[in-house]
Coordinates of all heavy atoms in Angstrom, one line a residue:
M1 N 146.8 312.8 -114.7 CA 146.5 311.4 -114.4 C 146.0 310.7 -115.5 O 146.2 309.5 -115.6 CB 145.6 311.4 -113.2 CG 145.5 310.1 -112.5 SD 147.1 309.7 -111.7 CE 146.7 308.2 -110.9
E2 N 145.3 311.4 -116.4 CA 144.7 310.7 -117.6 C 145.8 310.1 -118.5 O 145.6 309.1 -119.1 CB 143.8 311.6 -118.4 CG 142.4 311.8 -117.8 CD 141.6 312.7 -118.7 OE1 141.8 312.7 -120.0 OE2 140.7 313.4 -118.2
A3 N 146.9 310.9 -118.6 CA 148.0 310.4 -119.5 C 148.6 309.1 -119.0 O 149.0 308.3 -119.8 CB 149.1 311.5 -119.5
I4 N 148.6 308.9 -117.7 CA 149.1 307.6 -117.2 C 148.3 306.4 -117.7 O 148.8 305.4 -118.0 CB 149.3 307.6 -115.7 CG1 150.3 308.7 -115.3 CG2 149.6 306.3 -115.1 CD1 150.5 308.9 -113.8
F5 N 147.0 306.6 -117.7 CA 146.1 305.5 -118.1 C 145.7 305.5 -119.6 O 144.8 304.8 -120.0 CB 144.9 305.5 -117.2 CG 145.2 305.3 -115.8 CD1 145.0 306.3 -114.9 CD2 145.7 304.1 -115.4 CE1 145.3 306.1 -113.5 CE2 146.0 303.9 -114.0 CZ 145.8 304.9 -113.1
S6 N 146.4 306.3 -120.4 CA 146.1 306.3 -121.8 C 146.5 305.0 -122.5 O 147.3 304.3 -122.0 CB 146.8 307.5 -122.5 OG 148.1 307.3 -122.6
I7 N 146.0 304.8 -123.7 CA 146.3 303.5 -124.4 C 147.8 303.5 -124.8 O 148.4 302.5 -124.9 CB 145.4 303.4 -125.6 CG1 145.6 302.0 -126.3 CG2 145.6 304.5 -126.6 CD1 145.1 300.9 -125.5
E8 N 148.4 304.7 -125.1 CA 149.8 304.7 -125.5 C 150.7 304.3 -124.4 O 151.6 303.5 -124.6 CB 150.1 306.1 -126.0 CG 149.4 306.4 -127.3 CD 149.7 307.9 -127.7 OE1 150.3 308.6 -127.0 OE2 149.1 308.2 -128.8
F9 N 150.4 304.8 -123.2 CA 151.2 304.4 -122.0 C 151.0 302.9 -121.7 O 152.0 302.2 -121.4 CB 150.9 305.2 -120.8 CG 151.8 304.9 -119.6 CD1 153.1 305.3 -119.6 CD2 151.2 304.2 -118.6 CE1 153.9 305.0 -118.5 CE2 152.0 303.9 -117.5 CZ 153.3 304.3 -117.4
T10 N 149.8 302.4 -121.8 CA 149.5 301.0 -121.6 C 150.3 300.2 -122.6 O 150.8 299.1 -122.3 CB 148.0 300.8 -121.7 OG1 147.4 301.7 -120.8 CG2 147.7 299.4 -121.3
A11 N 150.3 300.6 -123.8 CA 151.1 299.8 -124.9 C 152.5 299.7 -124.5 O 153.1 298.7 -124.7 CB 150.9 300.5 -126.2
Y12 N 153.1 300.8 -124.0 CA 154.6 300.8 -123.7 C 154.8 299.8 -122.5 O 155.7 299.0 -122.6 CB 155.1 302.1 -123.2 CG 154.9 303.2 -124.2 CD1 154.6 304.5 -123.8 CD2 155.1 303.0 -125.6 CE1 154.4 305.6 -124.7 CE2 155.0 304.0 -126.5 CZ 154.7 305.3 -126.1 OH 154.5 306.3 -127.0
V13 N 153.9 299.9 -121.5 CA 154.1 299.0 -120.4 C 153.8 297.5 -120.8 O 154.6 296.6 -120.4 CB 153.1 299.4 -119.2 CG1 153.1 298.4 -118.1 CG2 153.5 300.8 -118.7
A14 N 152.8 297.3 -121.6 CA 152.5 295.9 -122.0 C 153.6 295.3 -122.8 O 154.0 294.2 -122.6 CB 151.2 295.9 -122.8
L15 N 154.2 296.1 -123.7 CA 155.3 295.6 -124.6 C 156.5 295.4 -123.7 O 157.2 294.4 -123.9 CB 155.6 296.6 -125.7 CG 156.6 296.2 -126.7 CD1 156.2 294.9 -127.4 CD2 156.9 297.3 -127.7
A16 N 156.8 296.3 -122.8 CA 158.0 296.1 -121.9 C 157.8 294.8 -121.1 O 158.8 294.0 -121.0 CB 158.1 297.3 -121.0
V17 N 156.6 294.6 -120.5 CA 156.4 293.3 -119.7 C 156.5 292.1 -120.6 O 157.1 291.1 -120.2 CB 155.0 293.4 -119.0 CG1 154.6 292.1 -118.4 CG2 155.0 294.5 -118.0
L18 N 156.0 292.2 -121.8 CA 156.0 291.1 -122.7 C 157.5 290.8 -123.2 O 157.9 289.6 -123.2 CB 155.2 291.3 -124.0 CG 155.0 290.2 -125.0 CD1 154.4 289.0 -124.3 CD2 154.2 290.7 -126.1
L19 N 158.2 291.8 -123.4 CA 159.6 291.6 -123.8 C 160.4 291.0 -122.7 O 161.3 290.2 -122.9 CB 160.3 292.9 -124.3 CG 159.8 293.4 -125.6 CD1 160.4 294.8 -125.9 CD2 160.3 292.5 -126.7
Y20 N 160.2 291.5 -121.5 CA 160.9 291.0 -120.3 C 160.5 289.5 -120.1 O 161.4 288.7 -119.8 CB 160.6 291.8 -119.0 CG 161.4 291.4 -117.8 CD1 162.7 291.9 -117.8 CD2 160.8 290.7 -116.8 CE1 163.5 291.5 -116.7 CE2 161.6 290.3 -115.7 CZ 162.9 290.7 -115.7 OH 163.7 290.4 -114.6
A21 N 159.3 289.2 -120.3 CA 158.9 287.8 -120.1 C 159.5 286.9 -121.2 O 160.0 285.8 -120.9 CB 157.4 287.7 -120.2
I22 N 159.5 287.4 -122.4 CA 160.2 286.6 -123.5 C 161.7 286.4 -123.2 O 162.2 285.4 -123.4 CB 159.9 287.3 -124.8 CG1 158.5 287.2 -125.3 CG2 160.9 286.8 -125.9 CD1 158.1 288.0 -126.5
R23 N 162.3 287.5 -122.7 CA 163.7 287.5 -122.4 C 164.0 286.5 -121.3 O 165.0 285.7 -121.4 CB 164.2 288.8 -122.0 CG 165.7 288.9 -121.8 CD 166.0 290.4 -121.4 NE 167.4 290.4 -121.0 CZ 167.8 290.1 -119.7 NH1 166.9 289.8 -118.8 NH2 169.0 290.2 -119.4
E24 N 163.2 286.4 -120.3 CA 163.4 285.5 -119.2 C 163.0 284.1 -119.5 O 163.6 283.1 -118.9 CB 162.7 286.0 -117.9 CG 163.3 287.3 -117.4 CD 164.7 287.2 -116.9 OE1 165.0 286.2 -116.2 OE2 165.5 288.1 -117.2
A25 N 162.0 283.9 -120.3 CA 161.4 282.5 -120.4 C 162.0 281.8 -121.6 O 161.9 280.5 -121.6 CB 159.9 282.6 -120.7
T26 N 162.7 282.4 -122.5 CA 163.2 281.7 -123.7 C 164.7 281.9 -123.7 O 165.3 282.6 -122.9 CB 162.7 282.3 -125.0 OG1 163.0 283.7 -125.1 CG2 161.1 282.2 -125.0
N27 N 165.3 281.2 -124.6 CA 166.8 281.2 -124.8 C 167.2 282.1 -125.9 O 168.2 281.9 -126.5 CB 167.3 279.8 -125.0 CG 167.2 279.0 -123.8 OD1 167.3 279.5 -122.6 ND2 167.0 277.7 -123.9
I28 N 166.3 283.1 -126.2 CA 166.6 284.1 -127.3 C 167.8 284.9 -126.8 O 167.7 285.5 -125.8 CB 165.4 285.0 -127.6 CG1 164.3 284.1 -128.2 CG2 165.8 286.0 -128.6 CD1 163.0 284.9 -128.5
P29 N 168.9 285.0 -127.6 CA 170.0 285.9 -127.3 C 169.6 287.3 -127.2 O 168.6 287.8 -127.9 CB 171.0 285.7 -128.4 CG 170.6 284.4 -129.0 CD 169.2 284.2 -128.8
N30 N 170.2 288.1 -126.3 CA 169.8 289.5 -126.1 C 169.9 290.4 -127.4 O 169.2 291.3 -127.5 CB 170.7 290.2 -125.1 CG 170.4 289.7 -123.7 OD1 169.2 289.3 -123.5 ND2 171.3 289.8 -122.8
R31 N 170.7 290.0 -128.4 CA 170.9 290.8 -129.6 C 169.6 290.7 -130.5 O 169.4 291.5 -131.3 CB 172.1 290.4 -130.4 CG 172.1 289.0 -130.9 CD 173.3 288.6 -131.6 NE 173.3 287.2 -132.0 CZ 174.3 286.6 -132.4 NH1 175.5 287.2 -132.4 NH2 174.2 285.3 -132.8
Y32 N 168.8 289.6 -130.2 CA 167.5 289.5 -131.0 C 166.3 290.1 -130.4 O 165.3 290.2 -131.0 CB 167.3 288.0 -131.3 CG 168.3 287.4 -132.2 CD1 169.0 286.3 -131.8 CD2 168.7 287.9 -133.4 CE1 170.0 285.7 -132.5 CE2 169.6 287.3 -134.2 CZ 170.3 286.2 -133.8 OH 171.3 285.6 -134.5
I33 N 166.4 290.5 -129.1 CA 165.3 291.1 -128.4 C 164.8 292.4 -129.1 O 163.6 292.6 -129.3 CB 165.7 291.4 -127.0 CG1 165.8 290.0 -126.2 CG2 164.6 292.2 -126.3 CD1 164.6 289.2 -126.1
P34 N 165.7 293.3 -129.6 CA 165.2 294.5 -130.3 C 164.4 294.1 -131.6 O 163.5 294.8 -131.9 CB 166.5 295.3 -130.7 CG 167.5 294.9 -129.7 CD 167.2 293.4 -129.4
I35 N 164.8 293.1 -132.3 CA 164.1 292.7 -133.5 C 162.7 292.2 -133.1 O 161.7 292.5 -133.8 CB 164.9 291.6 -134.3 CG1 166.2 292.2 -134.8 CG2 164.1 291.0 -135.4 CD1 167.2 291.1 -135.3
V36 N 162.6 291.4 -132.1 CA 161.3 290.9 -131.6 C 160.5 292.1 -131.1 O 159.3 292.2 -131.4 CB 161.5 289.9 -130.4 CG1 160.2 289.6 -129.7 CG2 162.2 288.7 -130.9
A37 N 161.1 293.1 -130.5 CA 160.4 294.3 -130.1 C 159.8 295.1 -131.2 O 158.7 295.6 -131.2 CB 161.3 295.2 -129.2
V38 N 160.6 295.2 -132.3 CA 160.1 295.9 -133.5 C 158.9 295.2 -134.1 O 157.9 295.8 -134.4 CB 161.2 296.1 -134.5 CG1 160.7 296.5 -135.9 CG2 162.3 297.0 -134.0
F39 N 159.0 293.9 -134.2 CA 157.8 293.1 -134.8 C 156.6 293.3 -133.9 O 155.5 293.5 -134.4 CB 158.2 291.6 -135.0 CG 159.0 291.4 -136.2 CD1 160.2 290.7 -136.0 CD2 158.6 291.7 -137.4 CE1 161.0 290.4 -137.1 CE2 159.4 291.5 -138.5 CZ 160.6 290.8 -138.4
L40 N 156.8 293.1 -132.6 CA 155.6 293.2 -131.7 C 155.1 294.6 -131.7 O 153.9 294.8 -131.6 CB 156.0 292.8 -130.3 CG 156.3 291.3 -130.1 CD1 156.8 291.0 -128.7 CD2 155.1 290.5 -130.4
G41 N 156.0 295.6 -131.7 CA 155.5 297.0 -131.7 C 154.7 297.4 -132.9 O 153.7 298.0 -132.8
V42 N 155.2 297.0 -134.1 CA 154.6 297.3 -135.3 C 153.2 296.5 -135.4 O 152.2 297.1 -135.8 CB 155.5 297.0 -136.5 CG1 154.7 297.1 -137.8 CG2 156.6 298.0 -136.5
A43 N 153.3 295.3 -134.9 CA 152.0 294.5 -134.9 C 151.0 295.1 -134.0 O 149.8 295.2 -134.4 CB 152.3 293.1 -134.5
F44 N 151.4 295.6 -132.9 CA 150.4 296.2 -131.9 C 149.9 297.5 -132.5 O 148.7 297.8 -132.4 CB 151.0 296.5 -130.6 CG 150.1 297.1 -129.6 CD1 149.1 296.3 -129.0 CD2 150.1 298.4 -129.4 CE1 148.2 296.9 -128.2 CE2 149.2 299.0 -128.5 CZ 148.2 298.3 -127.9
A45 N 150.8 298.3 -133.1 CA 150.3 299.6 -133.7 C 149.4 299.3 -134.9 O 148.4 300.0 -135.0 CB 151.5 300.4 -134.2
G46 N 149.6 298.3 -135.7 CA 148.7 297.9 -136.8 C 147.4 297.4 -136.3 O 146.3 297.8 -136.8
F47 N 147.4 296.6 -135.2 CA 146.2 296.1 -134.6 C 145.4 297.3 -134.0 O 144.2 297.3 -134.1 CB 146.5 295.1 -133.5 CG 145.3 294.6 -132.8 CD1 144.5 293.7 -133.4 CD2 145.1 295.0 -131.5 CE1 143.4 293.2 -132.7 CE2 144.0 294.5 -130.8 CZ 143.1 293.6 -131.4
E48 N 146.1 298.2 -133.4 CA 145.4 299.4 -132.7 C 144.7 300.2 -133.8 O 143.6 300.7 -133.5 CB 146.5 300.2 -132.0 CG 146.0 301.4 -131.2 CD 147.1 302.1 -130.5 OE1 148.2 302.2 -131.1 OE2 146.8 302.6 -129.4
N49 N 145.4 300.5 -134.9 CA 144.8 301.4 -135.9 C 144.0 300.6 -137.0 O 143.4 301.3 -137.8 CB 145.9 302.2 -136.6 CG 146.6 303.1 -135.7 OD1 145.9 303.7 -134.9 ND2 147.9 303.3 -135.8
R50 N 144.1 299.3 -137.0 CA 143.4 298.5 -138.0 C 143.7 298.8 -139.4 O 142.9 298.7 -140.3 CB 141.9 298.6 -137.8 CG 141.4 298.0 -136.4 CD 139.9 298.0 -136.3 NE 139.5 297.5 -135.1 CZ 139.1 298.2 -134.0 NH1 139.1 299.5 -134.1 NH2 138.8 297.6 -132.9
A51 N 145.0 299.2 -139.6 CA 145.5 299.6 -140.9 C 147.0 299.6 -140.9 O 147.6 299.4 -139.8 CB 145.0 300.9 -141.4
F52 N 147.6 299.7 -142.0 CA 149.1 299.9 -142.0 C 149.5 301.0 -142.9 O 149.1 301.1 -144.0 CB 149.7 298.6 -142.5 CG 151.2 298.6 -142.3 CD1 151.8 298.3 -141.1 CD2 152.1 298.9 -143.4 CE1 153.1 298.4 -140.9 CE2 153.4 299.0 -143.2 CZ 154.0 298.7 -141.9
S53 N 150.2 301.9 -142.3 CA 150.7 303.1 -143.1 C 152.1 303.5 -142.5 O 152.6 302.8 -141.5 CB 149.8 304.2 -143.0 OG 149.7 304.7 -141.6
F54 N 152.6 304.5 -143.0 CA 153.9 305.0 -142.5 C 153.8 305.4 -141.0 O 154.7 305.2 -140.2 CB 154.5 306.1 -143.3 CG 155.8 306.6 -142.9 CD1 156.9 305.9 -143.1 CD2 155.9 307.8 -142.2 CE1 158.2 306.3 -142.6 CE2 157.1 308.3 -141.8 CZ 158.3 307.5 -142.0
E55 N 152.7 306.1 -140.7 CA 152.5 306.5 -139.3 C 152.4 305.3 -138.3 O 152.9 305.4 -137.2 CB 151.2 307.4 -139.2 CG 151.4 308.8 -139.8 CD 151.2 308.7 -141.3 OE1 150.6 307.8 -141.9 OE2 151.7 309.7 -142.0
V56 N 151.7 304.3 -138.8 CA 151.6 303.1 -138.0 C 153.0 302.5 -137.8 O 153.4 302.0 -136.7 CB 150.7 302.1 -138.6 CG1 150.7 300.7 -137.9 CG2 149.3 302.6 -138.6
L57 N 153.8 302.4 -138.8 CA 155.2 301.9 -138.7 C 156.0 302.7 -137.7 O 156.7 302.2 -136.8 CB 155.9 301.9 -140.0 CG 157.3 301.4 -140.1 CD1 157.4 299.9 -139.7 CD2 157.9 301.7 -141.4
V58 N 155.9 304.1 -137.8 CA 156.6 304.9 -136.8 C 156.1 304.7 -135.4 O 156.9 304.7 -134.5 CB 156.5 306.4 -137.3 CG1 157.1 307.3 -136.2 CG2 157.2 306.6 -138.6
A59 N 154.8 304.6 -135.2 CA 154.3 304.4 -133.9 C 154.8 303.0 -133.4 O 155.1 302.9 -132.2 CB 152.7 304.4 -133.9
G60 N 154.8 302.0 -134.2 CA 155.3 300.7 -133.8 C 156.8 300.7 -133.4 O 157.2 300.1 -132.4
L61 N 157.6 301.5 -134.1 CA 159.0 301.6 -133.8 C 159.1 302.4 -132.5 O 160.0 302.1 -131.7 CB 159.7 302.3 -134.9 CG 159.9 301.5 -136.2 CD1 160.5 302.4 -137.3 CD2 160.7 300.3 -136.0
K62 N 158.3 303.4 -132.3 CA 158.3 304.1 -131.0 C 157.9 303.2 -129.8 O 158.6 303.2 -128.8 CB 157.3 305.3 -131.1 CG 157.3 306.2 -129.8 CD 156.5 307.4 -130.0 CE 155.0 307.1 -130.2 NZ 154.1 308.3 -130.2
Y63 N 156.9 302.4 -130.0 CA 156.6 301.4 -129.0 C 157.8 300.5 -128.7 O 158.1 300.2 -127.5 CB 155.4 300.5 -129.4 CG 154.0 301.2 -129.4 CD1 153.0 300.8 -130.2 CD2 153.8 302.3 -128.6 CE1 151.8 301.4 -130.3 CE2 152.6 303.0 -128.7 CZ 151.6 302.5 -129.5 OH 150.3 303.1 -129.5
A64 N 158.4 300.0 -129.7 CA 159.5 299.1 -129.6 C 160.7 299.7 -128.8 O 161.3 299.1 -127.9 CB 160.0 298.6 -130.9
L65 N 161.0 301.0 -129.2 CA 162.1 301.7 -128.5 C 161.8 301.9 -127.1 O 162.7 301.7 -126.2 CB 162.5 303.0 -129.2 CG 163.1 302.8 -130.6 CD1 163.2 304.2 -131.3 CD2 164.5 302.2 -130.5
Y66 N 160.6 302.3 -126.8 CA 160.3 302.6 -125.3 C 160.2 301.2 -124.6 O 160.6 301.2 -123.4 CB 158.9 303.3 -125.2 CG 159.0 304.8 -125.6 CD1 157.9 305.4 -126.2 CD2 160.1 305.5 -125.3 CE1 158.0 306.7 -126.5 CE2 160.2 306.9 -125.6 CZ 159.1 307.5 -126.2 OH 159.1 308.8 -126.5
G67 N 159.8 300.2 -125.2 CA 159.7 298.9 -124.6 C 161.1 298.4 -124.3 O 161.4 297.9 -123.2
I68 N 162.0 298.5 -125.2 CA 163.4 298.1 -125.0 C 164.1 298.9 -123.9 O 164.8 298.4 -123.1 CB 164.2 298.2 -126.3 CG1 163.7 297.2 -127.3 CG2 165.7 298.0 -126.1 CD1 164.2 297.4 -128.7
G69 N 163.8 300.2 -123.9 CA 164.4 301.1 -122.9 C 163.9 300.7 -121.5 O 164.6 300.7 -120.5
S70 N 162.6 300.4 -121.4 CA 162.0 300.0 -120.1 C 162.6 298.7 -119.6 O 162.9 298.6 -118.4 CB 160.5 299.8 -120.3 OG 159.9 301.1 -120.7
V71 N 162.8 297.7 -120.5 CA 163.4 296.4 -120.1 C 164.8 296.6 -119.7 O 165.2 296.1 -118.6 CB 163.3 295.4 -121.3 CG1 164.1 294.2 -121.0 CG2 161.8 295.0 -121.5
A72 N 165.5 297.5 -120.4 CA 166.9 297.7 -120.0 C 167.0 298.4 -118.6 O 167.9 298.1 -117.8 CB 167.6 298.6 -121.1
T73 N 166.1 299.3 -118.4 CA 166.0 300.0 -117.1 C 165.7 299.1 -116.0 O 166.4 299.1 -114.9 CB 165.0 301.2 -117.2 OG1 165.3 302.1 -118.2 CG2 164.9 301.9 -115.9
V74 N 164.8 298.2 -116.2 CA 164.4 297.2 -115.1 C 165.6 296.3 -114.9 O 166.0 296.0 -113.7 CB 163.1 296.5 -115.5 CG1 162.9 295.3 -114.6 CG2 161.9 297.4 -115.5
K75 N 166.2 295.8 -116.0 CA 167.4 294.9 -115.8 C 168.5 295.6 -115.1 O 169.1 295.0 -114.2 CB 167.8 294.5 -117.2 CG 169.0 293.6 -117.2 CD 169.5 293.3 -118.6 CE 170.8 292.6 -118.5 NZ 171.4 292.4 -119.8
Y76 N 168.8 296.9 -115.4 CA 169.9 297.6 -114.7 C 169.5 297.8 -113.2 O 170.4 297.6 -112.4 CB 170.1 298.9 -115.4 CG 171.1 299.8 -114.8 CD1 172.4 299.5 -115.0 CD2 170.7 300.9 -114.0 CE1 173.4 300.3 -114.4 CE2 171.7 301.7 -113.4 CZ 173.0 301.4 -113.6 OH 174.0 302.2 -113.0
A77 N 168.3 298.1 -113.0 CA 167.9 298.4 -111.6 C 168.0 297.1 -110.8 O 168.4 297.1 -109.6 CB 166.5 298.9 -111.5
L78 N 167.6 296.0 -111.3 CA 167.7 294.7 -110.6 C 169.1 294.3 -110.4 O 169.5 293.8 -109.3 CB 166.9 293.6 -111.4 CG 165.4 293.7 -111.4 CD1 164.8 292.6 -112.3 CD2 164.8 293.6 -110.0
E79 N 170.0 294.5 -111.4 CA 171.4 294.1 -111.2 C 172.1 295.0 -110.2 O 172.8 294.5 -109.3 CB 172.1 294.3 -112.5 CG 171.8 293.2 -113.5 CD 172.5 293.4 -114.9 OE1 173.2 294.4 -115.1 OE2 172.3 292.5 -115.7
K80 N 171.7 296.3 -110.1 CA 172.3 297.2 -109.1 C 171.8 296.9 -107.7 O 172.5 297.0 -106.8 CB 172.0 298.7 -109.5 CG 172.8 299.2 -110.6 CD 174.3 299.2 -110.2 CE 175.1 299.7 -111.4 NZ 176.5 299.8 -111.1
G81 N 170.5 296.5 -107.6 CA 170.0 296.1 -106.3 C 170.7 294.8 -105.8 O 170.9 294.7 -104.6
E82 N 171.0 293.9 -106.6 CA 171.7 292.7 -106.2 C 173.2 293.0 -105.8 O 173.7 292.3 -104.9 CB 171.6 291.6 -107.2 CG 170.3 291.0 -107.4 CD 170.2 289.9 -108.4 OE1 171.3 289.4 -108.8 OE2 169.1 289.4 -108.7
E83 N 173.8 293.9 -106.5 CA 175.2 294.3 -106.1 C 175.3 294.9 -104.8 O 176.3 294.8 -104.1 CB 175.8 295.2 -107.2 CG 176.1 294.6 -108.5 CD 176.7 295.6 -109.5 OE1 176.9 296.8 -109.1 OE2 176.8 295.2 -110.6
R84 N 174.3 295.6 -104.3 CA 174.3 296.3 -103.0 C 174.1 295.3 -101.8 O 174.4 295.7 -100.7 CB 173.2 297.4 -103.0 CG 173.5 298.5 -103.9 CD 172.4 299.5 -103.8 NE 172.7 300.6 -104.8 CZ 171.8 301.6 -105.0 NH1 170.7 301.7 -104.4 NH2 172.1 302.5 -105.9
K85 N 173.6 294.2 -102.1 CA 173.4 293.2 -101.0 C 174.7 292.6 -100.5 O 175.6 292.5 -101.0 CB 172.4 292.1 -101.5 CG 171.0 292.6 -101.6 CD 170.1 291.5 -102.0 CE 168.7 292.0 -102.2 NZ 167.8 291.0 -102.6

């Protein structure tokens, strides 16, 4: 249960929610969402570690990939739910 409430899991969820909100609220084309996710993920990892190194860059990319995957999963689930109605 501790793993669910860890800072890393919270970062994934926060980034996914932020990306979903940006996607829904702005007119940014879907092809630019991964670029936005990379910038936000690296920025969050840098803020979290208060430094910048290769490990921070990799952690930021990991946050971005998980965030993009989460947004895609939610989008797919919502679209499939509407098709069933």
Side-chain angles (χ1 to χ4, degrees):
M1 194 69 176
E2 278 183 34
I4 292 176
F5 297 113
S6 71
I7 188 70
E8 293 172 358
F9 182 76
T10 305
Y12 302 142
V13 172
L15 185 60
V17 169
L18 186 60
L19 286 173
Y20 187 76
I22 288 171
R23 184 179 169 275
E24 293 296 317
T26 63
N27 292 328
I28 296 176
N30 285 339
R31 65 181 177 197
Y32 295 124
I33 293 296
I35 296 169
V36 172
V38 167
F39 283 124
L40 291 175
V42 171
F44 181 76
F47 177 73
E48 181 181 38
N49 292 323
R50 295 186 179 101
F52 189 79
S53 64
F54 181 72
E55 289 81 20
V56 171
L57 179 66
V58 170
L61 292 175
K62 183 172 64 169
Y63 289 156
L65 289 174
Y66 285 146
I68 292 168
S70 300
V71 169
T73 302
V74 168
K75 180 184 170 191
Y76 178 76
L78 290 176
E79 287 177 356
K80 285 296 181 180
E82 288 184 9
E83 285 180 8
R84 292 182 184 173
K85 290 183 181 179

